[in-house]
Amino acid sequence: GAGVSQSPRYKVAKRGQDVALRCDPISGHVSLFWYQQALGQGPEFLTYFQNEAQLDKSGLPSDRFFAERPEGSVSTLKIQRTQQEDSAVYLCASTSPGQGVYEQYFGPGTRLTVT
Amino acid sequence: AQSVTQLGSHVSVSEGALVLLRCNYSSSVPPYLFWYVQYPNQGLQLLLKYTSAATLVKGINGFEAEFKKSETSFHLTKPSAHMSDAAEYFCAVDAGGTSYGKLTFGQGTILTVHP
């Protein structure tokens, strides 16, 4: 079956531009996570959705970061006025309680480069 | 708060040699522990997970890990390395502070396998 997909795979933005990153989770997965992976680092939690509800946004680094999942399926991570420190790979993961111990399935990521 | 430390950002082994990737965690509650593998330009794939059942956990591709509470460790091993094992490996902890499986990752260990 289809896994988690993300688009675009690569994005180059000029500093100050707004970007939108899309995540299509596995069909039927209730839970959706966003992580940020800087070069040479492990992924860091950004935010969590259960269906359309954003239950944890404690990892969002600033108010320039905004995420939504309006219909409980596709999610969009938006970054306003991008800065160079936003350059990273943004990973999306989905899971469902039926998977057991929250086994998260990751997408391939979107590599954002801010110039 | 939980944290994960992976000892050694780079590990190099010969094909056929033992693979040992080290992971230590800190958690105030009994944790769930995971090892993920990441190939270049791909998302993370789950290798194995510890969920408070057997302390020796077997995963895919011949990998296994042993949970040692007294040492707060969850080291990943494979008896005989293959060239295809070359990738980056991440240890992660879900310390159970949330109900939905928020993961904290280590910094990653790049495994190189040479002929």
Side-chain angles (χ1 to χ4, degrees):
Chain A
V4 178
S5 61
Q6 294 186 245
S7 61
R9 290 294 312 278
Y10 303 91
K11 176 70 178 177
V12 178
K14 292 185 178 179
R15 191 165 64 93
Q17 284 184 332
D18 298 348
V19 298
L21 312 180
R22 177 187 169 107
C23 171
D24 284 81
I26 293 172
S27 178
H29 276 191
V30 168
S31 300
L32 186 145
F33 299 79
W34 283 98
Y35 292 87
Q36 179 190 58
Q37 186 177 17
L39 187 64
Q41 304 294 317
E44 292 191 356
F45 171 82
L46 291 176
T47 188
Y48 162 73
F49 289 87
Q50 185 177 75
N51 295 306
E52 69 279 2
Q54 188 176 22
L55 299 186
D56 187 341
K57 54 181 180 179
S58 62
L60 296 177
S62 76
D63 59 7
R64 297 186 294 105
F65 286 71
F66 172 76
E68 60 183 6
R69 194 185 185 198
E71 297 179 356
S73 179
V74 171
S75 178
T76 304
L77 177 66
K78 298 179 179 178
I79 308 173
Q80 298 177 324
R81 305 181 304 280
T82 52
Q83 303 295 316
Q84 284 197 317
E85 61 264 29
D86 300 334
S87 295
V89 175
Y90 291 85
L91 296 168
C92 175
S94 70
T95 190
S96 179
Q99 299 297 142
V101 194
Y102 308 109
E103 179 176 328
Q104 297 184 25
Y105 292 83
F106 283 81
T110 295
R111 182 177 298 277
L112 172 65
T113 303
V114 181
T115 61
Chain B
Q2 61 272 17
S3 66
V4 177
T5 301
Q6 291 183 238
L7 299 176
S9 58
H10 291 80
V11 170
S12 181
V13 301
S14 298
E15 191 173 21
L18 171 70
V19 175
L20 171 60
L21 305 182
R22 299 178 187 272
C23 172
N24 288 86
Y25 70 91
S26 68
S27 173
S28 57
V29 298
Y32 296 144
L33 293 157
F34 305 80
W35 275 100
Y36 282 86
V37 61
Q38 187 175 36
Y39 297 98
N41 298 315
Q42 295 187 26
L44 281 74
Q45 179 184 7
L46 182 68
L47 280 177
L48 48 81
K49 61 186 179 187
Y50 167 74
T51 61
S52 73
T55 57
L56 182 62
V57 181
K58 295 186 183 299
I60 62 171
N61 301 338
F63 285 93
E64 62 182 36
E66 186 173 8
F67 172 69
K68 292 186 176 180
K69 183 178 179 180
S70 61
E71 298 177 8
T72 61
S73 69
F74 190 57
H75 301 330
L76 181 71
T77 60
K78 182 174 180 177
S80 177
H82 294 171
M83 298 295 289
S84 60
D85 294 328
E88 189 162 17
Y89 293 79
F90 292 93
C91 182
V93 63
D94 169 12
T98 67
S99 62
Y100 48 82
K102 174 178 172 181
L103 295 177
T104 298
F105 286 86
Q107 301 249 36
T109 298
I110 296 173
L111 176 65
T112 303
V113 182
H114 50 86

